[in-house]
Amino acid sequence: MSHDRILILDFGSQVTQLIARRVREAHVYCEVHANDVSAEFIREFNPKGIILSGSHMSAYEESNDQVSPAVFEAGVPVLGICYGMQTMAQQLGGRVEGSNKREFGYAEVRAHNHTKLLEGIEDFRTAEGHGMLKVWMSHGDKVTVLPPGFSVMCSTPSCPIAGMCDESRGYYAVQFHPEVTHTVKGREIIERFVLSICGAKPDWVMSNYIAEAVESIKAQVGDEEVILGLSGGVDSSVAAALIHRAIGKNLTCVFVDNGLLRKNEREQVRETFEKNMGLKLIVVDAVDRFMNALAGVTDPEQKRKIIGREFVEIFQEEASKLTAAKWLAQGTIYPDVIESAGAKTKKAKTIKSHHNVGGLPDTLHLKLLEPLRSLFKDEVRELGVELGLPAEMVYRHPFPGPGLGVRILGEVKREYADLLREADAIFIEELRAAGLYDKVSQAFVVFLPVKSVGVMGDGRTYDYVVSLRCVETSDFMTAHWSHLPYELLGRVSNRIINEVKGINRVVYDVSGKPPATIEWE
């Protein structure tokens, strides 16, 4: 690839991928790698700049990770964030100590001097004329002695060195997190570092990426055939459209109806891909197979693994019927790759496993094609629009790979899936009718395997309960529950109870992330 590149070294922060998203938003290509990459790797990567992530560790403990000295010998600008600032200080001759006052959450930082990184960037001014930034802090340690050649860049009352720099070498570091949306000017700070200080060219745009990706797929696949598992979700749909543009009739899409899809999903997929786009499509009715495999299973992780395993086995079976098929394509995207890599290196704690990443059995005699594995979700959506996919498909709310299997709490049964599918369709229909679907980030219904007493038509009912879930977020790392109008919630509840026989109670989830996750399982 001919693009300028930023290297992000990960020390295990749960928000490292947000750094990458902010860099990509500046239209600069970047990759996230473990902090302990070799000097040779750094030289071969040839970055225009390097960013060091946060971490749960303490930089002053000798047992904890440091970056290769090659980072500071590469001759490119370096930005340290939180722990990245601390390890920069520690490794370059400063000192880091535990603080008797930890900072977690909102803080106001005063900018000192005029540095290239912060000059002209501020949220407000104090009466004394000091430029101030509204930021997000998350640290228990602090830099107490600057490394030689560094000066203070910003401070708070409890953290006198909240930022430092050595502009002669292009080294900058901040104790706060510019990658999170809570830091109001965070995006500007990262853009300033990447574009102005590193001098990276902002040429990472999806309209240009299509030609590169098509050529890459052609070179990788040649005249061999590809089989792609099409779910109807954004990722697999965009992957299908991109691969089809590259190799045409040599792509065969397999759509598996596992009984855990949204209402009318099978018909919509046929309409879009088979009729309108002319893709070769095989539809496999595997409802019984999945339901039998999931019978009696209640653990969410086990359900995810079973669903992923069955998908792979079905693809294997279908591929064996296509004698020329040598490749299995998947809609894996970059956040999946980052999180799975973090789990493997134990740099970050695994929250949920991803059925698309890793775990492919040795018996799968197909090479893996993942044309979206370098893209974030917003980039995938941009790419889908550029490829001509319908907007209502590209901008649908996220749907989990295991489908309704992780929106049915506990054991998955066909009866539960049928009830949930109908209830979910009503909720989405009412959100669209109210003009709110595109204003919220994700909305769905969760099936609870409990029954409650109700009364309908002067008679007693004893039926199931569902919960509505609707959130607003910019990055899906944190989320707020949506304050939907009571009238809308009431209308959705009435319709579900009246139209879906077997449900007699509807509740609304008012949990944020954290402490909850967006999906229930």
Side-chain angles (χ1 to χ4, degrees):
M1 235 175 10
S2 60
H3 301 280
D4 287 345
R5 306 199 281 181
I6 299 295
L7 175 61
I8 299 167
L9 297 181
D10 181 24
F11 289 90
S13 168
Q14 290 289 347
V15 294
T16 296
Q17 64 173 267
L18 295 186
I19 303 173
R21 282 198 59 193
R22 298 292 170 258
V23 174
R24 296 281 186 90
E25 286 169 0
H27 299 296
V28 174
Y29 184 76
C30 64
E31 289 182 14
V32 176
H33 291 276
N35 66 279
D36 54 1
V37 294
S38 66
E40 182 183 6
F41 175 89
I42 294 171
R43 283 193 296 273
E44 290 181 357
F45 191 88
N46 191 28
K48 292 287 286 186
I50 299 172
I51 300 178
L52 312 179
S53 86
S55 174
H56 57 279
M57 299 180 289
S58 294
Y60 53 80
E61 294 179 5
E62 291 184 11
S63 61
N64 279 334
D65 291 347
Q66 296 186 337
V67 293
S68 166
V71 166
F72 303 111
E73 297 165 1
V76 298
V78 181
L79 172 64
I81 295 174
C82 197
Y83 179 89
M85 168 173 163
Q86 295 166 9
T87 198
M88 179 188 287
Q90 193 79 7
Q91 290 185 240
L92 295 179
R95 184 184 305 152
V96 178
E97 299 176 8
S99 175
N100 57 10
K101 184 173 181 182
R102 301 187 302 169
E103 287 185 300
F104 292 97
Y106 175 80
E108 294 178 353
V109 169
R110 174 187 167 187
H112 291 259
N113 305 319
H114 292 289
T115 64
K116 292 178 184 176
L117 184 66
L118 298 182
E119 186 173 12
I121 298 177
E122 60 186 45
D123 290 304
F124 67 96
R125 283 188 166 261
T126 66
E128 297 79 20
H130 301 310
M132 303 293 290
L133 294 168
K134 298 178 180 179
V135 305
W136 188 261
M137 291 279 199
S138 181
H139 69 104
D141 302 331
K142 61 183 179 181
V143 175
T144 55
V145 177
L146 290 168
F150 279 75
S151 60
V152 174
M153 187 165 62
C154 50
S155 65
T156 71
S158 62
C159 186
I161 306 175
M164 63 182 193
C165 66
D166 179 347
E167 295 204 287
S168 65
R169 290 185 285 177
Y171 296 163
Y172 298 85
V174 291
Q175 188 58 69
F176 57 87
H177 287 267
E179 69 273 30
V180 302
T181 55
H182 306 74
T183 296
V184 178
K185 292 291 194 297
R187 181 171 176 171
E188 291 180 40
I189 292 170
I190 290 179
E191 279 191 2
R192 173 73 59 80
F193 177 73
V194 169
L195 298 177
S196 300
I197 295 173
C198 297
K201 294 191 295 289
D203 58 1
W204 180 252
V205 292
M206 290 303 98
S207 56
N208 298 338
Y209 176 75
I210 291 174
E212 292 179 27
V214 164
E215 288 307 309
S216 175
I217 293 167
K218 285 179 179 178
Q220 195 174 357
V221 173
D223 294 328
E224 295 175 336
E225 291 194 12
V226 176
I227 182 172
L228 180 144
L230 187 60
S231 69
V234 175
D235 302 335
S236 66
S237 297
V238 174
L242 182 60
I243 296 169
H244 184 252
R245 181 168 292 195
I247 63 173
K249 60 182 175 51
N250 283 349
L251 169 67
T252 299
C253 293
V254 176
F255 178 79
V256 180
D257 186 350
N258 60 2
L260 302 171
L261 305 171
R262 288 167 284 200
K263 188 176 180 179
N264 299 326
E265 193 91 57
R266 186 195 289 203
E267 294 79 6
Q268 290 170 2
V269 166
R270 276 195 187 278
E271 182 72 25
T272 299
F273 292 96
E274 194 172 47
K275 295 180 182 177
N276 295 343
M277 295 180 64
L279 272 73
K280 288 194 291 185
L281 180 67
I282 296 171
V283 176
V284 181
D285 187 339
V287 177
D288 290 340
R289 177 168 175 171
F290 276 84
M291 292 302 166
N292 291 336
L294 290 166
V297 178
T298 58
D299 179 71
E301 278 293 286
Q302 195 177 351
K303 288 195 290 186
R304 287 173 179 269
K305 290 186 169 98
I306 288 170
I307 293 167
R309 181 196 70 206
E310 292 298 321
F311 268 120
V312 170
E313 289 179 0
I314 290 171
F315 294 151
Q316 220 172 337
E317 293 162 11
E318 294 302 323
S320 68
K321 302 172 188 176
L322 302 168
T323 55
K326 304 296 182 186
W327 297 83
L328 170 66
Q330 291 190 154
T332 306
I333 63 174
Y334 201 38
D336 303 338
V337 176
I338 294 172
E339 290 175 25
S340 294
K344 282 181 185 176
T345 61
K346 296 184 172 56
K347 301 290 183 192
K349 296 187 181 297
T350 301
I351 307 301
K352 297 175 184 174
S353 63
H354 293 276
H355 76 287
N356 264 8
V357 183
L360 294 172
D362 295 334
T363 54
L364 182 62
H365 303 300
L366 294 170
K367 293 172 280 188
L368 197 56
L369 179 64
E370 297 175 314
L372 308 180
R373 69 178 285 118
S374 64
L375 304 183
F376 285 96
K377 178 72 80 173
D378 50 348
E379 294 173 321
V380 172
R381 294 188 196 279
E382 282 183 53
L383 184 61
V385 171
E386 293 288 343
L387 288 165
L389 287 174
E392 59 270 20
M393 171 177 284
V394 172
Y395 288 100
R396 275 205 296 189
H397 291 176
F399 189 64
L404 301 183
V406 290
R407 290 180 179 174
I408 297 169
L409 302 197
E411 184 180 5
V412 176
K413 295 182 180 180
R414 189 189 298 249
E415 172 199 1
Y416 298 168
D418 290 342
L419 292 173
L420 178 55
R421 204 172 354 260
E422 294 298 325
D424 189 76
I426 289 170
F427 187 25
I428 299 305
E429 183 181 313
E430 288 294 339
L431 278 173
R432 288 191 185 279
L436 293 173
Y437 181 82
D438 293 321
K439 295 180 180 178
V440 299
S441 306
Q442 191 171 3
F444 55 92
V445 179
V446 178
F447 181 88
L448 309 181
V450 295
K451 286 188 171 183
S452 73
V453 174
V455 57
M456 294 179 72
D458 295 325
R460 178 185 185 273
T461 62
Y462 189 55
D463 288 325
Y464 291 106
V465 181
V466 294
S467 174
L468 309 180
R469 179 72 160 144
C470 189
V471 299
E472 295 168 21
T473 176
S474 60
D475 52 32
F476 289 90
M477 302 299 292
T478 62
H480 300 287
W481 61 275
S482 300
H483 292 218
L484 296 179
Y486 290 157
E487 295 79 5
L488 173 61
L489 293 173
R491 191 160 58 249
V492 172
S493 177
N494 286 339
R495 281 196 61 192
I496 290 175
I497 291 169
N498 285 320
E499 297 176 30
V500 186
K501 186 174 173 54
I503 297 173
N504 72 353
R505 192 176 298 269
V506 176
V507 299
Y508 189 47
D509 182 349
V510 294
S511 310
K513 177 185 179 181
T517 53
I518 295 174
E519 297 283 351
W520 279 40
E521 287 194 342

